[in-house]
Amino acid sequence: DAKTTQPTSMDCAEGRAANLPCNHSTISGNEYVYWYRQIHSQGPQYIIHGLKNNETNEMASLIITEDRKSSTLILPHATLRDTAVYYCIVRVQGGKLIFGQGTELSVKP
Amino acid sequence: GAGVSQTPSNKVTEKGKYVELRCDPISGHTALYWYRQSLGQGPEFLIYFQGTGAADDSGLPNDRFFAVRPEGSVSTLKIQRTERGDSAVYLCASSPGRTTGELFFGEGSRLTVL
């Protein structure tokens, strides 16, 4: 599975959009981009995934560049409860999820 | 409950002892995963079951670690001759099948080896 690169940490003001970047320059054509988050002392939680097209659900939006070498997870109106570590993972269908270090997002009042 | 259940939530043991950690997946989920997470690190894959069989055990660190899922539901992770380096949170996840990457994780079992 392709490796991903994420910033170690980010801050965001409450109520503002949180934009979390991820680089996956070696992604293969059959690999999906997945995002999970982990709130302190809890298990990881699935957020969203996509292959080529942008995706949106009730939690977030996922923007994937046309060349698929990078993506951005957008939390449109961040709240204090969104403070967590966010993991960007690339995975071939049927493959295992390999977590990296993730981005520690701090949402501040 | 409807989620993945893991027991015990906390386990403290002495070096050299044997430990079992249990995972009760979401009903009907055929795929079950074990991960472990050390402080400040992302979850590390250990083993994956599809039904009763271990489809991928490439993440098990050595032969002290073993996992079973005899009836395709509950799984037990077994650690023999525990070492201090085994101290971590052991996470279990389940999903409806192999193709989906949407895993549902439990709260984890925190293992401390003294």
Side-chain angles (χ1 to χ4, degrees), chain B residues 1-94:
Chain B
V4 176
S5 176
Q6 292 189 246
T7 54
S9 55
N10 277 286
K11 175 71 177 178
V12 180
T13 191
E14 293 180 344
K15 180 175 179 293
K17 299 289 189 183
Y18 170 79
V19 165
E20 288 190 354
L21 306 175
R22 175 188 167 109
C23 174
D24 202 337
I26 292 172
S27 178
H29 280 192
T30 59
L32 186 145
Y33 303 77
W34 283 99
Y35 286 79
R36 76 174 173 181
Q37 187 169 27
S38 300
L39 193 63
Q41 303 295 315
E44 173 193 13
F45 170 80
L46 295 178
I47 187 170
Y48 154 66
F49 288 89
Q50 180 60 43
T52 60
D56 184 347
D57 64 356
S58 62
L60 294 178
N62 52 59
D63 60 6
R64 295 187 298 106
F65 288 75
F66 189 71
V68 295
R69 195 185 185 201
E71 297 178 358
S73 178
V74 170
S75 177
T76 305
L77 179 66
K78 307 177 183 215
I79 310 174
Q80 298 178 319
R81 304 183 303 281
T82 51
E83 300 177 356
R84 293 195 179 86
D86 299 334
S87 296
V89 175
Y90 289 80
L91 294 161
C92 177
S94 69

Side-chain angles (χ1 to χ4, degrees), chain A residues 34 36 38 41-46 87 91 93-101, chain B residues 33 35 37 40-43 45 56 58 91 98-103 105-107:
Chain A
Y34 282 80
Y36 275 73
Q38 188 172 24
S41 297
Q42 296 183 20
Q45 176 191 23
Y46 166 82
Y87 296 98
R91 168 189 180 265
Q93 192 171 28
K96 53 193 177 239
L97 287 173
I98 304 297
F99 290 80
Q101 297 283 77
Chain B
Y33 303 77
Y35 286 79
Q37 187 169 27
Q41 303 295 315
F45 170 80
D56 184 347
S58 62
L91 294 161
R98 176 181 183 141
T99 55
T100 178
E102 185 176 352
L103 273 56
F105 281 83
E107 299 284 292

